[in-house]
Amino acid sequence: MSKLDSIRSRLHRLIGWTDVDQSHVDAPMRARRRHRVLGYAVRKSRYIFLVCVFVLFLRAGLLAGDNEDGRQSYEDVRALSFSSPREDHPITKLMDEGEEKYRVKLEGQSKTLKEAVEEYRRRYKRGPPRGFDKWWEFARKNNVKFVDEYDGLVGDLEPFWEMSGEELRRRVGQVGQLPSIDLVRIKNGEASTLRMNAFEDSEVSARANGFAAMISQFAPSLPDMDFSINAKAEGRVLVPWEHRKYPNLTRTDSSVGIETMLDGPFRPDWGTDGNVWEAWRRTCAPTSTARRLFSSLRNVFVSQLQSYIPSDAPPGPDFGFASTTAAHSLDFCSAPHTHYTQGHFFSDWRTLPVLYPVFSPARAQGFMDIRIPSHYYYGSTARYTYGWDPVNLELGDTDKMEVPWNEKHDQMFWRGATTGGGSHPPGFAPQYQRHRFLRMTSDTSSTPRLLTFPLPPSPSPSPSPSLSLSSSSPSAPAPPPPKYTTSPLPLSTLNTIMNTAFTKAVSPASYPGGLPALQSTHRFSDAVPLGEHWKYKYLVDIDGMGYSARFMAFLASGSVPLKATVYQEFFEGWIQPWVHYIPLSDTYSEIYNIYAYFSGLPRAAIDVLGGDLDLNLTAEAEAEAEGQQVNHDAWSRPVDGDRRLRRIARAGREWKMSVGRAVDMEGRCPSFSLSSFVLYSRTRTHPDSVRIQTRARVGETLGG
């Protein structure tokens, strides 16, 4: 018998297998051998389990790291060539559906006070607050468009209906004593700002002063009351799920003092005894993934966007488009792994685990702050306001640095600091929203991405001598629908459409590897004035420490904002994605295909694709030879795509001039104040409604 046969025989005897030569082994012998193997497996079960876990972790990629060297190159996938041309594109559908939704909502607003009262009662199951008729007069006088859309305001205030007016007043006074929270006091018809804590803050009272200015013209008609205003951009209030579901599990009487309510003196910095994520995940239900697991095995950076196209098409994972921002689409309770991608979960500022009324310019999922308009939106500064003249201190409808549409660059533009989160716990800065975006758009490698772009139109036998390469005139005839094809392109080529850079490194020591590591993978450039943005068609808007305060300025410009955010602001329900701005997912991976839909194939792709695509450049070459000025960035721009992009730019500007005005923010403040006063002055008995007098029929009960 050979050595190999001997080994095989031993193995067979061990595990109970038999071959022809072993047929004489009886059944009891085989049973004893199987029992021996089973006993061995039981004794070694812990090792077998560890091996299985190790293999699972390898599969999940948690031990593989960021394997940059293992990424495919463009040459590896170039053989994919081009997909079969197709005529449908999901962005067309998203735009058409968005425009219809916005039209229906706008046309459905109440036309009379009686209709407004009935709609208020239908939505919120209670009558509107006292003074609603005066607010209606203000709204009609100032042509306020959305007179029924206050779901966000009512929802923010809803938890406080459980408190008595005395309890609410006491909590406002208590929370106003904490660091970075100011009071706006209305007394004897005047609004003023009070700072009850000596804590030094870089933005001391700025938001409170802004709110006081917004509400000042209504102060003479408002009762005496206080508002506790958050001085920070970050959210402040995170109440555990159990305390909201079962209030008896927590203290409901704040007369014991705020230190008792918070289980000790409040320290503004987390220090070493917690972080935002650990506090935040307690706002989820106990059965949620965030409460049952500390993390997840899923890949954080894989987009889960809907494809919208048949499964037999090859556009790839980057061809999914968000119908709205991550403020609505991300659920951190069910997908806790995604919290690593958002810096607000790593903020240094300690949150409040008790339901205190704190008024903030924005709030993310899970927070219970009450939203008010941002002071950056209401006031005028050179840094955040479109059309502001800092010399003459005047606000114009058109910024002096504005650029006509046909002269704007077909590029994505972004500038900003490395803000976006704190360092509790430290070491996660590379995954914050701004850092991920800059690292992606700074990549000059040959890593491929699949791009779906419109095919160039068939060459004309006799091109027009005037040669309009950027035909986007509203009077031009509608072009035939383009056909789209998909092909891989290296990131080094795709990122030629990106003009993005950090302008300032904030706390670089908290970045792994320090400033050298930060600069090695992220593009840096000089800071630019706000007006520099208007030279570009695409303006990327990304959260910083909180919401982005440049959004209103971007809307007012003649360019198109691409917004990625996890925050909801005061205008929630008033604005429509894909009509007034383009929403981005939290991964940004679809941004190249967004560009390709509107602006076509990037010019730098010509050299990469070579002769794979039949490009007709004859007309352009002849025009240049004759001395005509040719916009090389727009040579392949699809006419219909450019029309649609310009339509979003115009709609966004129109929205800012008619819905996002300062007077609309002022209009929200009295409605907010009136609702707050009902809460502020009520007894614990829930008022079903309030009587409202109208000029037309004095004494008629519209509000109940």
Side-chain angles (χ1 to χ4, degrees):
M1 179 181 293
S2 67
K3 186 174 183 180
L4 180 60
D5 291 336
S6 176
I7 294 174
R8 182 185 298 113
S9 178
R10 292 176 189 175
L11 180 61
H12 286 184
R13 286 197 301 273
L14 176 64
I15 63 176
W17 289 356
T18 63
D19 52 24
V20 176
D21 296 330
Q22 300 293 323
S23 58
H24 63 281
V25 180
D26 57 11
M29 179 66 72
R30 292 197 299 270
R32 285 195 296 272
R33 288 171 178 170
R34 283 194 293 269
H35 181 73
R36 188 188 313 163
V37 173
L38 181 61
Y40 177 84
V42 171
R43 291 194 303 274
K44 303 297 182 180
S45 59
R46 71 181 65 180
Y47 301 105
I48 296 174
F49 173 76
L50 289 176
V51 170
C52 292
V53 171
F54 179 75
V55 173
L56 179 62
F57 270 46
L58 282 178
R59 180 173 177 80
L62 299 181
L63 301 181
D66 190 13
N67 187 12
E68 299 290 338
D69 295 334
R71 296 186 298 185
Q72 285 183 302
S73 68
Y74 168 71
E75 294 300 329
D76 295 331
V77 299
R78 186 171 181 175
L80 288 174
S81 187
F82 301 96
S83 68
S84 300
R86 61 182 314 114
E87 295 184 0
D88 59 324
H89 199 291
I91 291 181
T92 305
K93 181 180 179 182
L94 287 168
M95 289 186 65
D96 293 345
E97 290 179 348
E99 289 172 356
E100 178 63 14
K101 288 179 182 178
Y102 186 74
R103 182 191 64 79
V104 170
K105 180 182 291 187
L106 189 60
E107 293 178 354
Q109 299 300 298
S110 297
K111 305 300 188 296
T112 66
L113 174 59
K114 183 176 181 179
E115 290 179 0
V117 171
E118 291 174 350
E119 179 64 15
Y120 191 103
R121 183 183 296 278
R122 184 190 69 81
R123 291 193 185 198
Y124 310 125
K125 312 307 179 187
R126 65 170 68 97
R130 191 183 306 276
F132 187 77
D133 53 339
K134 296 186 181 298
W135 172 83
W136 177 264
E137 290 180 6
F138 170 87
R140 294 294 85 187
K141 178 181 178 181
N142 292 281
N143 196 26
V144 174
K145 302 294 184 183
F146 289 102
V147 293
D148 297 327
E149 305 304 319
Y150 288 93
D151 293 0
L153 170 63
V154 174
D156 290 355
L157 295 175
E158 189 66 30
F160 297 96
W161 282 102
E162 301 170 7
M163 300 180 186
S164 67
E166 178 185 7
E167 178 66 23
L168 180 61
R169 291 192 296 272
R170 185 163 52 234
R171 293 199 184 200
V172 170
Q174 288 178 354
V175 77
Q177 300 173 17
L178 297 183
S180 297
I181 294 181
D182 303 307
L183 288 180
V184 170
R185 174 164 294 171
I186 299 177
K187 187 172 184 179
N188 299 326
E190 294 185 358
S192 60
T193 302
L194 300 178
R195 187 182 179 195
M196 310 298 291
N197 191 290
F199 183 82
E200 292 297 327
D201 193 288
S202 59
E203 297 182 278
V204 57
S205 302
R207 291 181 172 82
N209 290 334
F211 182 76
M214 275 182 258
I215 207 169
S216 60
Q217 65 172 304
F218 306 100
S221 59
L222 292 174
D224 292 352
M225 57 193 305
D226 291 344
F227 299 93
S228 39
I229 310 297
N230 181 12
K232 308 299 293 184
E234 298 95 325
R236 305 297 293 272
V237 184
L238 288 174
V239 181
W241 182 91
E242 289 83 356
H243 293 177
R244 288 292 303 126
K245 183 70 174 179
Y246 308 106
N248 62 299
L249 296 180
T250 186
R251 300 181 182 91
T252 57
D253 184 358
S254 63
S255 62
V256 296
I258 192 169
E259 286 195 8
T260 303
M261 295 290 288
L262 299 178
D263 293 324
F266 179 78
R267 290 181 291 117
D269 190 278
W270 279 106
T272 59
D273 61 343
N275 56 70
V276 173
W277 170 247
E278 286 304 311
W280 188 95
R281 71 186 191 92
R282 292 189 63 195
T283 68
C284 303
T287 56
S288 67
T289 308
R291 290 290 292 271
R292 290 186 287 111
L293 296 175
F294 285 96
S295 187
S296 170
L297 297 180
R298 292 179 62 186
N299 189 331
V300 177
F301 303 106
V302 173
S303 174
Q304 304 296 324
L305 298 177
Q306 185 176 350
S307 176
Y308 289 97
I309 57 176
S311 59
D312 60 346
D318 296 342
F319 200 68
F321 303 94
S323 60
T324 185
T325 63
H328 301 277
S329 60
L330 273 184
D331 182 0
F332 298 105
C333 288
S334 61
H337 60 281
T338 55
H339 92 273
Y340 291 112
T341 68
Q342 301 299 327
H344 72 282
F345 287 112
F346 301 87
S347 171
D348 300 327
W349 281 92
R350 186 183 298 271
T351 54
L352 302 174
V354 179
L355 185 60
Y356 275 98
V358 177
F359 308 102
S360 301
R363 79 178 197 177
Q365 178 191 143
F367 286 82
M368 301 192 71
D369 300 51
I370 304 167
R371 288 166 289 176
I372 56 176
S374 168
H375 67 301
Y376 288 123
Y377 295 159
Y378 183 75
S380 296
T381 65
R383 188 176 177 184
Y384 293 106
T385 309
Y386 179 88
W388 176 246
D389 183 348
V391 177
N392 298 313
L393 303 181
E394 295 176 346
L395 182 62
D397 289 340
T398 303
D399 196 280
K400 292 182 177 180
M401 297 183 68
E402 184 57 88
V403 175
W405 179 260
N406 289 339
E407 297 179 18
K408 292 178 182 286
H409 298 298
D410 269 319
Q411 283 188 307
M412 305 276 183
F413 190 81
W414 186 87
R415 291 291 187 275
T418 61
T419 55
S423 55
H424 281 79
F428 290 89
Q431 298 163 350
Y432 296 167
Q433 57 275 8
R434 290 188 171 186
H435 296 74
R436 289 187 291 108
F437 178 73
L438 256 295
R439 198 159 54 251
M440 181 183 77
T441 58
S442 300
D443 194 334
T444 58
S445 72
S446 61
T447 304
R449 290 284 185 93
L450 290 177
L451 188 74
T452 298
F453 55 92
L455 289 167
S458 300
S460 172
S462 55
S464 170
S466 58
L467 190 62
S468 175
L469 294 173
S470 59
S471 177
S472 57
S473 171
S475 60
K483 293 184 178 181
Y484 301 89
T485 188
T486 301
S487 179
L489 283 167
L491 271 175
S492 57
T493 298
L494 292 175
N495 280 336
T496 58
I497 68 171
M498 298 292 175
N499 192 333
T500 59
F502 280 135
T503 59
K504 181 181 180 182
V506 179
S507 303
S510 63
Y511 191 88
L515 184 59
L518 183 63
Q519 292 176 329
S520 66
T521 53
H522 304 79
R523 187 183 298 121
F524 276 79
S525 182
D526 295 332
V528 298
L530 183 64
E532 185 71 15
H533 291 72
W534 320 146
K535 297 179 180 179
Y536 301 87
K537 289 187 177 181
Y538 301 88
L539 303 179
V540 181
D541 194 46
I542 303 177
D543 295 335
M545 298 302 292
Y547 69 104
S548 171
R550 293 183 291 190
F551 185 51
M552 286 291 180
F554 288 176
L555 286 167
S557 74
S559 302
V560 176
L562 290 86
K563 188 169 184 63
T565 184
V566 296
Y567 291 94
Q568 296 182 25
E569 301 183 54
F570 79 94
F571 48 77
E572 193 70 25
W574 298 0
I575 196 168
Q576 184 67 44
W578 292 106
V579 176
H580 306 111
Y581 69 95
I582 298 175
L584 282 178
S585 72
D586 59 306
T587 67
Y588 323 117
S589 62
E590 75 276 23
I591 195 169
Y592 301 106
N593 279 304
I594 289 175
Y595 176 92
Y597 172 81
F598 291 109
S599 296
L601 188 67
R603 185 173 180 83
I606 300 174
D607 296 334
V608 176
L609 295 176
D612 294 339
L613 191 62
D614 184 18
L615 302 176
N616 178 44
L617 304 180
T618 305
E620 179 179 323
E622 291 178 355
E624 271 193 307
E626 295 174 2
Q628 297 184 29
Q629 185 175 3
V630 175
N631 184 353
H632 290 288
D633 292 334
W635 73 269
S636 63
R637 182 188 309 148
V639 176
D640 184 62
D642 193 61
R643 287 172 183 268
R644 285 182 169 270
L645 186 65
R646 192 174 188 182
R647 194 158 82 198
I648 296 177
R650 286 171 168 166
R653 176 171 169 78
E654 172 63 23
W655 184 94
K656 177 62 179 72
M657 298 303 177
S658 60
V659 181
R661 305 165 298 170
V663 71
D664 294 293
M665 301 178 207
E666 293 168 351
R668 182 180 172 88
C669 287
S671 61
F672 161 80
S673 302
L674 292 170
S675 299
S676 298
F677 177 65
V678 172
L679 292 166
Y680 203 72
S681 60
R682 63 190 284 272
T683 62
R684 189 172 291 277
T685 302
H686 191 296
D688 176 65
S689 57
V690 181
R691 294 178 63 87
I692 299 178
Q693 306 296 326
T694 67
R695 294 182 181 274
R697 301 178 65 183
V698 177
E700 180 182 9
T701 302
L702 297 178

